Every structure is written in C-alpha cells, then in structure tokens.
Amino acid sequence: DVYGFLFDQLDIRVGKQRINWGTADKLNPTDNLNPNDFSDLVDFTDKLPSWAFTGTWYFGDSRLTGVWLPALSPVLLPRNGASLFLGPELSSLSNDLNLPAHTPGNSMFAFKYTGLLGKWDYSISYFNGYDDFPLLRRMNLDAASLRPVSFDMTFPRMQVAGADLAGEFQGIGLWAETALVFPEELKRTTRIGPNTAGSTTALDDKPYLKWTLGGDYTFPGGWYLNAQWMHGFDIDRGAGKLHDYLFARVEQSFWRENVKAEAGAALEVSEWNNPGDHY
C-alpha cells in the first residue's frame, strides 16, 4: 500500500487482494474481479484473492477506483464435488481446462465511481474480463458407444456494466444492485471419433441483466431479519436462463450477546409460469 502516491488524493495497492464490489449482502452481481470459492458449499459466498494493481483517487465524498488484473484465476470447486456443477457424466472423465494465456491482451481491468446521493451510497462500475466459471467447448464421443470420453472447457470473455445503491429508511436498511452482462459468444463442438458431428451455441452474445434487492431490520427485543431476492446467481448465464433466489435469515443474541442463534432459508425458482414444478 502506498498512500499519497504522486498526489495526496491517490492511493495504490499492489499484490494479492480481495476487491469487494457491490452493496448487497454477499450476493453481488457486480462483484466479478475475484473468483468464486465453492470449496465449502455451506459458505458458497466466499471469494478468492487475486493478484491485482488497484488505484483509488479521492475527491470530496466521492472516489474513482481503477483495477488491473494481469491474469484470470478460475473458480475453486469442492473436492470430489464437481458433479454438482458439471454433471456426473463429465465429472468422471478426463478433461482439458484452457486458461487464457498470460499476455497483456488477456489481462482484465475495471473501473468504479462511488459517491453520495443525499444519505444514500451509490456506485457505477465497468468490468472487462473473463467469467471465472468454465463452459464446455468441445465434447468427444466414442464412435462405437457414443458415450463421452473426454471434453474441453474454456472461459468466455465478458463485459459487465453495474450500479448499486444502499441506504436507510425509517430504520430499515435497503439496498439494490444490478449488472448488465455483455457475454462473448461461445460455440460448442461435438466430435464422434475423429469426425466433427455438429456445433451448437453454448452461450450467445445477447446481453442479460442480473440484480439483487434486499433489506434488513432489527425488531424490538433484538430480533434481526435479513431478506434478499437475487435474479441470476454467479453460475447462471445467458438471456432467459437466469433463476430467481430468495434468501431470508433471522438472528437473535442471548446471554448478554455471548451466544447468537441464527436460522436461514433459501428458495430457488427457475420458472414462474409454473413455480410448483420448478423450485
């Protein structure tokens, strides 16, 4: 960390760092600079620090932050739990994971402006980089049985324009965060033996919108309630393919706050036309 680098208003940070963006409570669609840490599925909101260069320019109640990341770090999946994300067929096969080459053209960068609107905090941001969760690019099938024998995965490039807002109204904490994702188109090829059988679109380049709305409140007696509605989880991708997630948590402390009890619930809905069969 260097404070007042060249100018009094400019601070820089170089090294492995956690760059936490967004105002929602851990469910942040604009938080794309660090890879997801899914190694512990009980705590699926963790992120891994990344090597980065960060500069922050302060002026009044506002600040402008710029970030440069020299290389992509991929998502960390749970040991022996890849089938939850890739399916049982793929998780049992040998595979190739193609990380982008460590060249300046494959580096990632982002900018964020943070300010005050009355008593409300807000920010607007832009990210240009890679999705840390890989997509299937090529599947190789056995010519006789047509069963998968190997596959090839890659990381699609994307751009994200984000905005968030957080404040308080009548003692209720409120926040809203949204991200407009511009994905790179990715084709998926299937090979049977040495021949190419066909190609499909694994991810099209149509933009899609993710968002999180939430709030919290402490009731008389110390009961704390936190609730959020998230449209599009970290691994959800593609226009028309995002699910909705509703999270709620209640907390209470006992014995002079030496013990805290917590109860939580989550609901995922993939299709609102018939939610009874898609939750």
Side-chain angles (χ1 to χ4, degrees):
D1 286 306
V2 180
Y3 303 102
F5 177 74
L6 299 180
F7 304 94
D8 291 340
Q9 300 87 355
L10 179 62
D11 297 339
I12 64 170
R13 168 173 287 183
V14 181
K16 206 168 191 180
Q17 49 192 295
R18 172 71 177 98
I19 307 166
N20 190 1
W21 283 10
T23 55
D25 186 9
K26 297 186 178 182
L27 305 174
N28 307 107
T30 65
D31 191 8
N32 297 297
L33 282 75
N34 299 109
N36 290 284
D37 182 2
F38 291 149
S39 59
D40 180 5
L41 290 180
V42 177
D43 190 8
F44 55 84
T45 58
D46 269 359
K47 297 270 188 171
L48 297 168
S50 305
W51 290 101
F53 176 95
T54 304
T56 304
W57 183 278
Y58 297 89
F59 43 98
D61 292 328
S62 305
R63 64 182 183 271
L64 178 64
T65 302
V67 183
W68 178 69
L69 300 101
L72 167 71
S73 298
V75 61
L76 182 62
L77 295 181
R79 184 182 300 275
N80 301 323
S83 60
L84 294 173
F85 300 91
L86 306 178
E89 270 192 329
L90 296 186
S91 63
S92 62
L93 302 176
S94 62
N95 69 89
D96 291 318
L97 191 61
N98 294 291
L99 287 167
H102 289 189
T103 62
N106 288 329
S107 62
M108 305 185 295
F109 62 90
F111 298 97
K112 184 174 77 164
Y113 175 83
T114 304
L116 279 174
L117 191 63
K119 295 184 178 180
W120 292 74
D121 297 307
Y122 76 94
S123 75
I124 53 176
S125 60
Y126 171 76
F127 168 75
N128 189 312
Y130 291 91
D131 193 330
D132 69 316
F133 197 82
L135 269 179
L136 183 64
R137 180 172 63 178
R138 183 165 45 248
M139 172 72 75
N140 299 316
L141 306 178
D142 180 74
S145 64
L146 297 183
R147 291 182 178 179
V149 292
S150 65
F151 62 96
D152 177 20
M153 306 195 79
T154 190
F155 297 86
R157 190 144 197 138
M158 66 178 185
Q159 301 178 66
V160 182
D164 57 61
L165 183 71
E168 184 181 352
F169 178 75
Q170 299 293 323
I172 304 173
L174 299 170
W175 54 82
E177 183 176 343
T178 185
L180 181 60
V181 183
F182 300 88
E184 177 187 62
E185 185 180 60
L186 181 66
K187 295 292 185 179
R188 179 176 299 158
T189 303
T190 302
R191 295 182 181 275
I192 301 177
N195 303 315
T196 300
S199 178
T200 58
T201 301
L203 180 66
D204 62 36
D205 56 2
K206 184 178 180 181
Y208 56 92
L209 192 69
K210 291 184 173 184
W211 46 263
T212 300
L213 302 174
D216 62 357
Y217 184 72
T218 301
F219 292 90
W223 290 93
Y224 171 78
L225 172 65
N226 182 305
Q228 296 189 97
W229 181 2
M230 186 180 198
H231 180 67
F233 191 59
D234 291 342
I235 60 174
D236 290 350
R237 282 175 295 204
K241 298 181 180 179
L242 305 183
H243 295 187
D244 286 282
Y245 305 82
L246 290 88
F247 298 89
R249 186 174 83 250
V250 178
E251 297 177 1
Q252 175 63 286
S253 296
F254 303 94
W255 293 302
R256 298 181 180 179
E257 299 189 355
N258 291 313
V259 176
K260 182 173 71 174
E262 176 180 315
L267 172 68
E268 175 187 358
V269 179
S270 60
E271 179 56 65
W272 284 104
N273 291 332
N274 186 12
D277 294 331
H278 299 89
Y279 72 93

